[in-house]
Amino acid sequence: MGIKNNMKKKGNPLLSAVGKEKLAESLIEILEGSFDGILVTDKEGKVLFVNDSYERVAEIKRSDIEGKYMKDLINPVWMPNSVAYIVAEQKTTVSKRQVVKSGRHIMVTGRPIFDEDGEIKIIVINARDITEIYELTEELQRSRNSEKLYMERMTDFSSMSDTERPIIAVSKSMRDILTLAKKVADFQITVLILGESGVGKEEIARFIHNNGARRDKPFITINCGAIPDNLLESELFGYDKGAFTGAMQTGKTGLLEAAEGGTIFLDEIGETPLDFQVKLLRFLETKEVRKLGSVHSRHIDVRVLAATNRNLEQMIEDGQFREDLYFRLNVVQLEVPPLRERKEDILPLAMYFLSKFNRMYGQEKVLTYEVEQEMENEEWKGNVRELKNIMENMVIVSNNEYLQVEDLPWVTGQRHRAGEPSSAVKMVANLDLTLEEATEELEKIMLHRYIKEGKTTRDIAEALGVNQSTVVRKMQKYNLKRE
């Protein structure tokens, strides 16, 4: 039913309020008061009315369009098409999304108003700013794409056996490292692997071994920093019976001999004492092993890979590492970048560890998009080792099937006690709040967390270091109730 017929109805509130004489004037005021842009044309597309909001939303001046035909206003910059002509042609309501000069997105809807003969009298066009809705839609789509990619990656990892130890390399820097590692795998040269603690130096060494001709032979790792200096030589080279007080009567085969035909990986080579470095250098030059207490040497076919998180060049200057040994080890150097410099690898690694620990502990935990974002923003000072430990922690400790931000150890308080603010603190700090308002927001977050965990007011008071009455009062203040 049209506007005119609506006005004829007895007791119409608008008609009663303004009276017949002022009805037209009031309708204009109503149109001008609309927050949405309104434009009215006749059936030929001639502009009859434009309100102020249309100027703002469509970014077209009223003076540029009033009294003109829409066909004369069409141009590729500020009006690439006209809904009015589509409505006139199709004789139905039409909606189109358009982009205005500033780049904002608007939704333009044209609706025909018919006369008693079914012909179009006027066309009413409504324009609404949908920029924020459009951006939210795009963000949602990106989130869905991320979740889809995540599920595809999870499917790949879930089919892996527990014995497989893949190196996750999505970032270019890691792919370059693996390319070089694979290239040197078949050359029987020493390789020095550098990088911070926890970046995966041993995994690179194992990758070299597994891609070379020695893959079916032993791969033995020696953590030089974990063996006392006085035992390092006997562990590596072995000893004859009676070589020293406390030695086994049967003697002992050294790890170099145990790795015969394969690869020995000397981790934390920078922790070795200078006297041992001399003997290691001799072995690298001659490939001969002489056990402690023996006068005979034996040739050993073994490849040596070494790694350290220390600056060996600085140690040479400080007299803590032999320069000749450094050059002997450093035939090919691989420097593994820290995890914070290869953020593309964070989520694939997290998903791999999640799949591994789900199988190990019989769980079905899933990462949420919010957790993924938190993990990508983390510094990972402990690198891949830290990431692995955190994934195992969440799989075991969290009660959520879909892992939440609060399941991350640094959010639950295991880390920010050492001085790093939690994500909740960062979130509140970024809001436009007074100090009092920010304090209240944090109080609500902390109280809600303990209430959700099922703690009593006495437990909460003890955890927060306040009186029980304070907890009760603040719960009442924020209308928080135990579930």
Side-chain angles (χ1 to χ4, degrees):
M1 188 173 290
I3 295 175
K4 184 177 179 181
N5 290 334
N6 273 333
M7 290 301 166
K8 288 181 178 179
K9 294 177 88 175
K10 184 178 180 181
N12 185 282
L14 179 60
L15 188 58
S16 301
V18 302
K20 292 181 180 180
E21 296 79 8
K22 294 187 177 181
L23 179 59
E25 182 181 340
S26 296
L27 287 176
I28 295 297
E29 290 174 348
I30 291 170
L31 293 174
E32 286 290 3
S34 171
F35 184 76
D36 290 345
I38 296 176
L39 180 145
V40 181
T41 75
D42 65 13
K43 64 180 180 180
E44 304 297 334
K46 182 179 180 180
V47 178
L48 305 176
F49 172 82
V50 181
N51 72 349
D52 288 338
S53 292
Y54 190 88
E55 278 191 298
R56 172 181 54 81
V57 174
E59 297 180 2
I60 303 173
K61 291 182 179 180
R62 178 185 291 192
S63 58
D64 289 337
I65 57 177
E66 271 189 333
K68 298 181 180 179
Y69 287 89
M70 297 299 290
K71 65 180 179 181
D72 297 326
L73 301 172
I74 293 176
N75 66 73
V77 178
W78 65 329
M79 189 179 288
N81 52 33
S82 172
V83 169
Y85 285 109
I86 301 175
V87 171
E89 180 183 343
Q90 299 181 3
K91 295 186 177 182
T92 187
T93 300
V94 175
S95 293
K96 291 185 70 67
R97 180 178 63 82
Q98 294 181 351
V99 180
V100 296
K101 286 184 285 185
S102 66
R104 291 184 302 107
H105 295 261
I106 66 172
M107 181 61 70
V108 181
T109 301
R111 181 187 179 192
I113 305 297
F114 299 95
D115 62 18
E116 295 176 353
D117 297 325
E119 295 297 323
I120 294 177
K121 288 197 303 181
I122 58 173
I123 298 171
V124 179
I125 296 172
N126 178 281
R128 174 171 295 177
D129 190 339
I130 60 165
T131 302
E132 185 175 353
I133 296 173
Y134 185 78
E135 289 174 349
L136 288 172
T137 301
E138 285 192 324
E139 179 65 30
L140 177 61
Q141 187 59 47
R142 285 193 294 269
S143 173
R144 287 175 174 170
N145 290 340
S146 176
E147 290 177 1
K148 180 181 178 182
L149 179 61
Y150 161 67
M151 293 306 297
E152 290 173 352
R153 288 168 174 168
M154 281 298 293
T155 302
D156 293 338
F157 291 133
S158 63
S159 63
M160 252 176 223
S161 69
D162 290 332
T163 57
E164 290 183 89
R165 300 177 62 164
I167 295 182
I168 311 300
V170 176
S171 64
K172 183 180 183 303
S173 58
M174 276 305 293
R175 284 187 279 115
D176 289 344
I177 289 289
L178 293 187
T179 298
L180 182 55
K182 196 166 187 177
K183 185 174 183 179
V184 302
D186 276 325
F187 293 90
Q188 305 310 307
I189 54 174
T190 54
V191 178
L192 182 61
I193 305 170
L194 305 177
E196 294 179 8
S197 179
V199 294
K201 297 186 290 294
E202 182 177 347
E203 297 305 318
I204 297 296
R206 192 179 296 275
F207 178 86
I208 293 172
H209 171 78
N210 289 339
N211 282 274
R214 299 174 182 265
R215 65 178 66 90
D216 296 324
K217 299 297 183 179
F219 177 85
I220 294 179
T221 296
I222 300 177
N223 188 327
C224 300
I227 302 175
D229 292 352
N230 60 338
L231 295 179
L232 193 56
E233 182 180 352
S234 62
E235 285 293 315
L236 204 63
F237 296 100
Y239 57 82
D240 274 346
K241 62 180 180 179
F244 53 86
T245 304
M248 292 188 297
Q249 291 303 307
T250 56
K252 182 179 179 180
T253 299
L255 293 174
L256 283 171
E257 283 190 76
E260 176 76 42
T263 303
I264 192 157
F265 174 53
L266 301 176
D267 198 8
E268 297 190 30
I269 191 68
E271 307 299 324
T272 55
L274 287 170
D275 58 344
F276 173 79
Q277 293 175 25
V278 175
K279 295 170 183 175
L280 177 61
L281 176 62
R282 183 180 180 280
F283 168 73
L284 292 173
E285 296 288 354
T286 65
K287 289 298 177 70
E288 290 184 348
V289 170
R290 179 183 296 176
K291 292 182 178 181
L292 285 174
S294 175
V295 294
H296 302 290
S297 298
R298 180 188 171 195
H299 186 272
I300 299 293
D301 175 25
V302 65
R303 183 179 190 175
V304 176
L305 306 176
T308 182
N309 60 3
R310 301 186 66 178
N311 185 336
L312 294 184
E313 293 181 354
Q314 183 61 51
M315 291 181 68
I316 291 170
E317 289 186 18
D318 297 338
Q320 297 175 336
F321 201 85
R322 292 185 61 93
E323 186 175 32
D324 47 5
L325 177 59
Y326 171 73
F327 288 126
R328 188 63 185 81
L329 291 171
N330 196 33
V331 177
V332 172
Q333 183 182 113
L334 296 174
E335 186 164 1
V336 186
L339 193 55
R340 62 182 173 275
E341 293 180 7
R342 47 184 174 111
K343 289 185 178 292
E344 304 95 319
D345 296 329
I346 292 174
L347 290 184
L349 281 165
M351 293 163 189
Y352 164 67
F353 290 132
L354 180 63
S355 179
K356 174 181 178 178
F357 293 125
N358 273 337
R359 290 196 306 270
M360 184 181 297
Y361 298 114
Q363 301 293 312
E364 295 182 356
K365 302 293 174 67
V366 179
L367 284 179
T368 58
Y369 183 62
E370 292 75 18
V371 172
E372 291 178 1
Q373 288 181 308
E374 280 286 331
M375 297 183 89
E376 285 188 325
N377 292 329
E378 177 61 15
E379 283 298 313
W380 299 111
K381 296 177 181 177
N383 292 296
V384 180
R385 184 183 293 117
E386 180 187 6
L387 174 58
K388 177 182 177 182
N389 291 342
I390 282 176
M391 294 310 302
E392 185 171 16
N393 173 282
M394 289 198 294
V395 168
I396 296 171
V397 174
S398 174
N399 294 321
N400 299 313
E401 179 183 353
Y402 288 84
L403 296 173
Q404 305 297 318
V405 171
E406 57 264 28
D407 293 318
L408 291 163
W410 60 83
V411 175
T412 56
Q414 293 181 24
R415 183 176 300 174
H416 68 254
R417 289 193 189 110
E420 178 159 335
S422 69
S423 63
V425 173
K426 293 176 182 176
M427 177 192 73
V428 173
N430 288 328
L431 298 176
D432 187 16
L433 301 173
T434 65
L435 182 59
E436 182 180 356
E437 290 170 339
T439 302
E440 289 178 347
E441 286 299 319
L442 281 174
E443 285 178 347
K444 283 189 280 188
I445 291 171
M446 295 176 72
L447 287 170
H448 184 266
R449 169 191 158 199
Y450 287 118
I451 291 170
K452 187 178 179 181
E453 292 175 359
K455 293 186 180 296
T456 65
T457 54
R458 187 181 298 277
D459 292 335
I460 297 173
E462 183 178 352
L464 296 178
V466 296
N467 296 327
Q468 185 182 13
S469 59
T470 301
V471 172
V472 173
R473 186 175 70 255
K474 289 188 179 293
M475 286 175 62
Q476 292 173 343
K477 176 182 178 181
Y478 303 130
N479 195 26
L480 297 174
K481 296 179 182 179
R482 293 185 62 208
E483 300 174 354

